[in-house]
Amino acid sequence: SYMGRANYTYKNRYMATATVRRDGFSGFGVNSKYVTLPSFSLGWVTSEEQFMESLDWLYLKLRLSYGQNGNQGAGRYTSLAKMKNNNYVYNGSTGVAVYPNFDELGNSSLAWEKTSSYNLGIDFGLLDNRRISGSLDVYTSKTSDVLVKRKLPYSSGYEQGWTNIGGVKTKGLDLEL
């Protein structure tokens, strides 16, 4: 993994952050072993603005962010077909047999599961930011290429295999006091 982050703050009221992460995992196919996951956020402390000076009992900050993360839920080398071995005796001699592992099928196109999220938030504090404080967040996230271990038909010769299928989308509202 590699990660880089840049932060910028101006006059303690305008904030920006950008992050890039690069990950690799041996469980995915040759063309999908690495993923780049960006994120960024902006913040504005509106209570520090001149037009808010008369409301010195109120702290108010607006936030906006976007980010991606990845999931490597499959095991190491899952994209590869595996072999088993077994000893046998034939005409008094011991030998070794190597044959495919029919427990799990390899998948050379297996890739990272990714979640992209957006968030809009407000942080607030009342009465010198000590008595009552909290935040309100509205978010949405979308997960694509969900990693699933699927049962396979007996006619395939394999019991199961990992694959990327489907997606999940969530939306929500969080209030913290």
Side-chain angles (χ1 to χ4, degrees), residues 29-173:
V30 69
N31 296 323
S32 305
K33 289 193 184 303
Y34 299 96
V35 67
T36 301
L37 304 165
S39 70
F40 64 89
S41 66
L42 299 172
W44 177 31
V45 182
T46 57
S47 56
E48 294 293 320
E49 296 291 345
Q50 195 172 22
F51 65 85
M52 298 279 289
E53 281 180 356
S54 63
L55 302 172
D56 60 353
W57 51 270
L58 176 66
Y59 171 81
L60 193 62
K61 177 182 177 183
L62 302 175
R63 296 177 282 109
L64 175 67
S65 65
Y66 166 80
Q68 283 187 333
N69 62 25
N71 180 15
Q72 61 186 38
R76 292 181 299 215
Y77 309 112
T78 304
S79 63
L80 303 175
K82 296 176 183 73
M83 303 294 282
K84 283 185 173 181
N85 64 3
N86 200 0
N87 294 330
Y88 68 94
V89 177
Y90 180 74
N91 276 345
S93 296
T94 302
V96 177
V98 179
Y99 56 93
N101 179 354
F102 293 112
D103 296 337
E104 191 168 296
L105 177 65
N107 180 352
S108 62
S109 62
L110 200 60
W112 285 85
E113 177 180 302
K114 282 192 207 173
T115 301
S116 299
S117 300
Y118 298 90
N119 188 72
L120 178 63
I122 300 172
D123 297 329
F124 57 89
L126 307 172
L127 307 174
D128 280 338
N129 203 19
R130 293 187 191 128
R131 301 280 184 194
I132 300 172
S133 64
S135 63
L136 176 66
D137 288 282
V138 178
Y139 66 88
T140 182
S141 67
K142 182 179 179 184
T143 303
S144 59
D145 296 325
V146 176
L147 288 163
V148 176
K149 188 182 264 189
R150 296 178 64 181
K151 292 282 186 190
L152 299 173
Y154 291 117
S155 60
S156 72
Y158 293 91
E159 289 183 27
Q160 57 194 358
W162 282 96
T163 189
N164 295 98
I165 53 174
V168 178
K169 188 172 184 177
T170 59
K171 296 178 182 182
L173 179 72

Side-chain angles (χ1 to χ4, degrees), residues 13-33:
R13 61 178 89 142
Y14 309 108
M15 291 149 265
T17 300
T19 304
V20 176
R21 181 175 167 169
R22 178 95 171 141
D23 278 339
F25 182 57
S26 62
F28 298 131
V30 69
N31 296 323
S32 305
K33 289 193 184 303

